Amino acid sequence: MWKTVIRRIIVMIPQMFILSLIIFILAKQMPGDPFTGLITPETDPSRIEELRIQAGFYDPWYVQYYRWITNAFQGDFGQSYTYKIAVSTLIGERALNTFWLSLLSVILVYLLAIPLGILAGRKQDTFLDKSIILYSFISFAIPTFVLSLVFLFFFGYRLMWFPTSGTVDVGLEPGTLAYFWNRFYHLLLPSMTAAILGTTGIIQYLRSEIIDAKTQDYVKTARSKGIPIRRIYARHIFRNSVLPIAAFLGFSITGLLGGSIFIETIYGYPGMGELFISSITSRDYSVITALIMLYGFLALLGSLLSDIIMSIVDPRIRID
């Protein structure tokens, strides 16, 4: 298995190279540049041109690409024109916020989706099953920004149960219990929004697998031997039905740093998703290209992790 993992990692190198080339070319096709926003009636146009020349904006595209990709492989994605700090430092600060938000969201997704999927599968065609299916259809159909705005207005502004922006209240001392609790308090509303929207796939897959497993011969044999139904579900049906959920786990892990663009933007949460939107509006090419490169790497890594997790959970599956 490890030989295959190493081969997959080697194959990721040309994939990332092609992705970086596409990202760089598309980013250069965007209208304007980071210095366009500096132009005002009082601005000297010659000064703007000097900044563009210093940044190498008039060099041939392949010269700019070579300079960018060489520095990127060394961990240097340049400087943010908007925030005036290194891109790697900026993304590192935002990635930590997104990590905690996404980690709590994934935990809530599995805590909510697995029991609902099991109940729907066990109580097939009952009122409970149809109610869970209706919930999953609604959560799949409702847009992210709509549910986020509804929750923000109702729970944030009307009931004032949760904070409406930021990661922590001003004035709290880092490292104290009050500080950590306040950060967790700020995470609750956006993570619950993400959890509600992220349960559909797991519920449907788990329900289908349980319904299919109930008709298998090994389940009929176990029931004919008088084994209690709870034990059959715990040791046979659920154990085999959880395999598709393991496949989702790999992408969930890599999604920890991907974040949710709409949720972070609407809730004013300073994560990678919110940074991505603000970088597009400000034409901050250094940040945009670095973030898309990171998202592409996480997608490739998620596929590899899913295969590895599946091979661990099910001994019949091996990646050779």
Side-chain angles (χ1 to χ4, degrees):
M1 182 180 75
W2 292 111
K3 291 182 180 180
T4 303
V5 172
I6 294 174
R7 286 199 300 266
R8 291 279 295 273
I9 293 175
I10 294 175
V11 171
M12 288 171 60
I13 296 176
Q15 290 177 329
M16 289 299 299
F17 173 77
I18 295 173
L19 177 64
S20 67
L21 184 61
I22 295 174
I23 291 171
F24 184 83
I25 294 176
L26 291 179
K28 287 301 178 181
Q29 301 304 313
M30 294 177 61
D33 56 52
F35 305 107
T36 304
L38 302 177
I39 299 177
T40 63
E42 295 79 17
T43 303
D44 184 3
S46 62
R47 176 55 182 163
I48 299 298
E49 286 300 313
E50 290 178 7
L51 293 174
R52 288 171 176 161
I53 293 173
Q54 292 175 5
F57 270 68
Y58 295 115
D59 293 340
W61 71 268
Y62 50 87
V63 175
Q64 297 184 50
Y65 173 75
Y66 177 77
R67 182 169 57 238
W68 173 72
I69 197 64
T70 303
N71 293 331
F73 276 117
Q74 299 174 1
D76 180 13
F77 290 93
Q79 186 180 40
S80 170
Y81 296 99
T82 304
Y83 296 92
K84 309 301 180 184
I85 62 174
V87 174
S88 56
T89 302
L90 177 62
I91 293 179
E93 295 173 352
R94 297 299 187 96
L96 186 60
N97 291 335
T98 296
F99 173 81
W100 292 118
L101 174 61
S102 301
L103 178 61
L104 182 58
S105 300
V106 170
I107 292 174
L108 292 177
V109 164
Y110 280 88
L111 288 178
L112 181 62
I114 291 179
L116 290 179
I118 294 174
L119 285 174
R122 290 191 62 175
K123 307 294 183 181
Q124 181 185 3
D125 295 331
T126 64
F127 176 78
L128 179 60
D129 177 34
K130 294 178 181 178
S131 300
I132 294 174
I133 293 176
L134 178 62
Y135 156 76
S136 64
F137 284 164
I138 294 176
S139 64
F140 176 76
I142 189 170
T144 302
F145 66 90
V146 171
L147 186 64
S148 300
L149 288 172
V150 170
F151 275 20
L152 183 65
F153 174 76
F154 188 72
F155 294 108
Y157 290 104
R158 275 294 183 91
L159 299 178
M160 293 186 291
W161 287 356
F162 298 97
T164 56
S165 63
T167 59
V168 67
D169 291 340
V170 179
L172 293 177
E173 183 180 354
T176 62
L177 182 61
Y179 177 86
F180 287 114
W181 166 250
N182 193 261
R183 290 208 63 170
F184 176 74
Y185 186 50
H186 278 75
L187 289 172
L188 282 176
L189 190 57
S191 61
M192 286 191 296
T193 305
I196 291 174
L197 296 171
T199 57
T200 303
I202 298 177
I203 290 175
Q204 294 295 336
Y205 271 103
L206 188 55
R207 176 183 181 274
S208 299
E209 288 295 321
I210 289 177
I211 293 175
D212 180 66
K214 289 192 301 184
T215 62
Q216 299 299 315
D217 292 337
Y218 67 88
V219 174
K220 296 178 181 178
T221 302
R223 297 189 68 174
S224 65
K225 291 181 178 180
I227 299 176
I229 188 65
R230 290 185 179 180
R231 187 177 177 183
I232 294 176
Y233 270 98
R235 298 191 60 179
H236 299 284
I237 296 179
F238 177 72
R239 187 174 181 178
N240 291 304
S241 301
V242 78
L243 294 179
I245 311 303
F248 277 105
L249 185 59
F251 292 101
S252 298
I253 292 174
T254 56
L256 293 178
L257 290 179
S260 176
I261 294 176
F262 289 113
I263 290 178
E264 289 184 357
T265 302
I266 292 174
Y267 284 105
Y269 187 82
M272 291 175 59
E274 190 271 340
L275 176 63
F276 185 67
I277 292 295
S278 63
S279 299
I280 292 176
T281 56
S282 61
R283 305 293 192 275
D284 202 338
Y285 296 117
S286 300
V287 179
I288 295 172
T289 52
L291 284 174
I292 298 179
M293 280 284 289
L294 178 59
Y295 293 153
F297 173 75
L298 291 175
L300 295 175
L301 184 61
S303 176
L304 177 60
L305 285 178
S306 293
D307 291 341
I308 294 175
I309 292 172
M310 285 289 289
S311 66
I312 295 174
V313 173
D314 189 353
R316 298 170 299 178
I317 300 176
R318 288 291 181 266
I319 51 176
D320 297 319

Short mmCIF file of all heavy atoms in Angstrom, two decimals, residues 94-107 180 183-184 187 191 256-257 269:
data_model
loop_
_atom_site.label_atom_id
_atom_site.label_comp_id
_atom_site.label_asym_id
_atom_site.label_seq_id
_atom_site.Cartn_x
_atom_site.Cartn_y
_atom_site.Cartn_z
N ARG A 94 -5.32 33.06 8.94
CA ARG A 94 -6.71 32.77 8.61
C ARG A 94 -6.99 31.26 8.63
O ARG A 94 -8.11 30.85 8.96
CB ARG A 94 -7.04 33.32 7.22
CG ARG A 94 -6.92 34.83 7.10
CD ARG A 94 -7.89 35.54 8.04
NE ARG A 94 -7.91 36.95 7.82
CZ ARG A 94 -8.81 37.59 7.04
NH1 ARG A 94 -9.76 36.89 6.44
NH2 ARG A 94 -8.76 38.89 6.88
N ALA A 95 -6.00 30.45 8.27
CA ALA A 95 -6.21 29.00 8.22
C ALA A 95 -6.52 28.44 9.60
O ALA A 95 -7.31 27.50 9.74
CB ALA A 95 -4.97 28.30 7.65
N LEU A 96 -5.92 29.00 10.64
CA LEU A 96 -6.20 28.52 11.99
C LEU A 96 -7.65 28.78 12.37
O LEU A 96 -8.31 27.91 12.97
CB LEU A 96 -5.26 29.20 12.99
CG LEU A 96 -5.33 28.69 14.43
CD1 LEU A 96 -4.98 27.21 14.50
CD2 LEU A 96 -4.40 29.50 15.34
N ASN A 97 -8.17 29.95 12.03
CA ASN A 97 -9.58 30.25 12.31
C ASN A 97 -10.50 29.30 11.54
O ASN A 97 -11.47 28.77 12.10
CB ASN A 97 -9.90 31.70 11.92
CG ASN A 97 -9.21 32.71 12.82
OD1 ASN A 97 -8.89 32.42 13.97
ND2 ASN A 97 -8.97 33.89 12.30
N THR A 98 -10.19 29.09 10.26
CA THR A 98 -11.01 28.19 9.45
C THR A 98 -10.93 26.76 9.95
O THR A 98 -11.91 26.02 9.90
CB THR A 98 -10.56 28.26 7.98
OG1 THR A 98 -10.81 29.58 7.49
CG2 THR A 98 -11.33 27.27 7.12
N PHE A 99 -9.75 26.35 10.43
CA PHE A 99 -9.58 24.99 10.94
C PHE A 99 -10.54 24.72 12.08
O PHE A 99 -11.25 23.70 12.09
CB PHE A 99 -8.14 24.78 11.39
CG PHE A 99 -7.92 23.45 12.08
CD1 PHE A 99 -7.75 22.30 11.34
CD2 PHE A 99 -7.91 23.36 13.46
CE1 PHE A 99 -7.56 21.07 11.97
CE2 PHE A 99 -7.71 22.15 14.10
CZ PHE A 99 -7.54 21.00 13.35
N TRP A 100 -10.61 25.61 13.07
CA TRP A 100 -11.48 25.37 14.23
C TRP A 100 -12.95 25.42 13.83
O TRP A 100 -13.77 24.62 14.32
CB TRP A 100 -11.21 26.40 15.31
CG TRP A 100 -9.86 26.25 15.95
CD1 TRP A 100 -8.84 27.14 15.96
CD2 TRP A 100 -9.39 25.10 16.68
NE1 TRP A 100 -7.76 26.63 16.62
CE2 TRP A 100 -8.06 25.39 17.08
CE3 TRP A 100 -9.94 23.87 17.01
CZ2 TRP A 100 -7.29 24.48 17.81
CZ3 TRP A 100 -9.17 22.97 17.73
CH2 TRP A 100 -7.87 23.28 18.12
N LEU A 101 -13.31 26.33 12.92
CA LEU A 101 -14.70 26.39 12.45
C LEU A 101 -15.08 25.11 11.71
O LEU A 101 -16.14 24.52 11.97
CB LEU A 101 -14.88 27.61 11.55
CG LEU A 101 -16.24 27.74 10.86
CD1 LEU A 101 -17.36 27.86 11.88
CD2 LEU A 101 -16.25 28.94 9.91
N SER A 102 -14.22 24.66 10.82
CA SER A 102 -14.53 23.48 10.02
C SER A 102 -14.49 22.21 10.86
O SER A 102 -15.26 21.28 10.62
CB SER A 102 -13.55 23.37 8.86
OG SER A 102 -13.62 24.51 8.04
N LEU A 103 -13.57 22.14 11.82
CA LEU A 103 -13.49 20.97 12.70
C LEU A 103 -14.78 20.80 13.48
O LEU A 103 -15.35 19.69 13.55
CB LEU A 103 -12.31 21.10 13.66
CG LEU A 103 -12.13 19.96 14.67
CD1 LEU A 103 -11.91 18.64 13.95
CD2 LEU A 103 -10.98 20.27 15.62
N LEU A 104 -15.28 21.88 14.08
CA LEU A 104 -16.54 21.80 14.81
C LEU A 104 -17.69 21.47 13.87
O LEU A 104 -18.60 20.71 14.24
CB LEU A 104 -16.80 23.12 15.55
CG LEU A 104 -18.06 23.20 16.40
CD1 LEU A 104 -18.07 22.11 17.47
CD2 LEU A 104 -18.20 24.58 17.06
N SER A 105 -17.67 22.01 12.66
CA SER A 105 -18.73 21.73 11.68
C SER A 105 -18.76 20.26 11.31
O SER A 105 -19.83 19.64 11.25
CB SER A 105 -18.52 22.58 10.42
OG SER A 105 -18.55 23.96 10.72
N VAL A 106 -17.59 19.66 11.06
CA VAL A 106 -17.53 18.24 10.69
C VAL A 106 -18.01 17.36 11.84
O VAL A 106 -18.75 16.39 11.64
CB VAL A 106 -16.09 17.86 10.28
CG1 VAL A 106 -15.94 16.35 10.14
CG2 VAL A 106 -15.72 18.54 8.97
N ILE A 107 -17.62 17.70 13.06
CA ILE A 107 -18.08 16.93 14.24
C ILE A 107 -19.60 16.98 14.34
O ILE A 107 -20.26 15.95 14.56
CB ILE A 107 -17.42 17.47 15.52
CG1 ILE A 107 -15.91 17.18 15.51
CG2 ILE A 107 -18.05 16.84 16.76
CD1 ILE A 107 -15.16 17.79 16.66
N PHE A 180 -11.16 31.15 25.73
CA PHE A 180 -11.45 29.96 24.93
C PHE A 180 -12.95 29.72 24.81
O PHE A 180 -13.43 29.31 23.75
CB PHE A 180 -10.76 28.74 25.55
CG PHE A 180 -9.28 28.72 25.36
CD1 PHE A 180 -8.42 28.85 26.45
CD2 PHE A 180 -8.73 28.61 24.10
CE1 PHE A 180 -7.06 28.84 26.27
CE2 PHE A 180 -7.36 28.60 23.91
CZ PHE A 180 -6.51 28.72 25.01
N ARG A 183 -14.34 32.15 22.23
CA ARG A 183 -14.03 31.73 20.86
C ARG A 183 -14.95 30.60 20.42
O ARG A 183 -15.44 30.58 19.29
CB ARG A 183 -12.57 31.29 20.75
CG ARG A 183 -11.57 32.40 20.86
CD ARG A 183 -10.30 32.08 20.11
NE ARG A 183 -10.53 31.94 18.68
CZ ARG A 183 -9.56 31.85 17.77
NH1 ARG A 183 -8.30 31.89 18.14
NH2 ARG A 183 -9.85 31.70 16.50
N PHE A 184 -15.20 29.65 21.31
CA PHE A 184 -16.12 28.56 21.01
C PHE A 184 -17.54 29.09 20.80
O PHE A 184 -18.25 28.62 19.90
CB PHE A 184 -16.11 27.55 22.16
CG PHE A 184 -17.09 26.42 21.99
CD1 PHE A 184 -16.85 25.40 21.09
CD2 PHE A 184 -18.26 26.39 22.73
CE1 PHE A 184 -17.76 24.36 20.92
CE2 PHE A 184 -19.17 25.36 22.58
CZ PHE A 184 -18.92 24.35 21.67
N LEU A 187 -18.05 30.34 17.41
CA LEU A 187 -18.05 29.29 16.39
C LEU A 187 -19.40 28.61 16.24
O LEU A 187 -19.67 28.01 15.19
CB LEU A 187 -16.99 28.23 16.73
CG LEU A 187 -15.52 28.61 16.60
CD1 LEU A 187 -14.65 27.50 17.16
CD2 LEU A 187 -15.16 28.88 15.15
N SER A 191 -21.00 27.20 12.61
CA SER A 191 -20.76 25.76 12.49
C SER A 191 -22.07 24.99 12.45
O SER A 191 -22.19 23.99 11.72
CB SER A 191 -19.88 25.26 13.64
OG SER A 191 -20.52 25.47 14.89
N LEU A 256 -11.16 20.85 6.14
CA LEU A 256 -10.98 21.64 7.36
C LEU A 256 -10.34 22.99 7.06
O LEU A 256 -10.63 23.98 7.72
CB LEU A 256 -10.12 20.88 8.37
CG LEU A 256 -10.73 19.60 8.96
CD1 LEU A 256 -9.74 18.95 9.90
CD2 LEU A 256 -12.02 19.91 9.68
N LEU A 257 -9.44 23.02 6.08
CA LEU A 257 -8.78 24.27 5.74
C LEU A 257 -9.43 24.96 4.55
O LEU A 257 -9.07 26.08 4.23
CB LEU A 257 -7.29 24.01 5.44
CG LEU A 257 -6.43 23.64 6.64
CD1 LEU A 257 -5.00 23.39 6.19
CD2 LEU A 257 -6.46 24.74 7.68
N TYR A 269 -16.71 36.13 9.67
CA TYR A 269 -15.72 35.33 10.37
C TYR A 269 -14.41 35.38 9.58
O TYR A 269 -14.37 34.99 8.41
CB TYR A 269 -16.20 33.88 10.48
CG TYR A 269 -15.32 32.98 11.32
CD1 TYR A 269 -15.43 32.98 12.70
CD2 TYR A 269 -14.37 32.16 10.72
CE1 TYR A 269 -14.63 32.16 13.47
CE2 TYR A 269 -13.56 31.34 11.49
CZ TYR A 269 -13.69 31.35 12.86
OH TYR A 269 -12.88 30.54 13.63
#
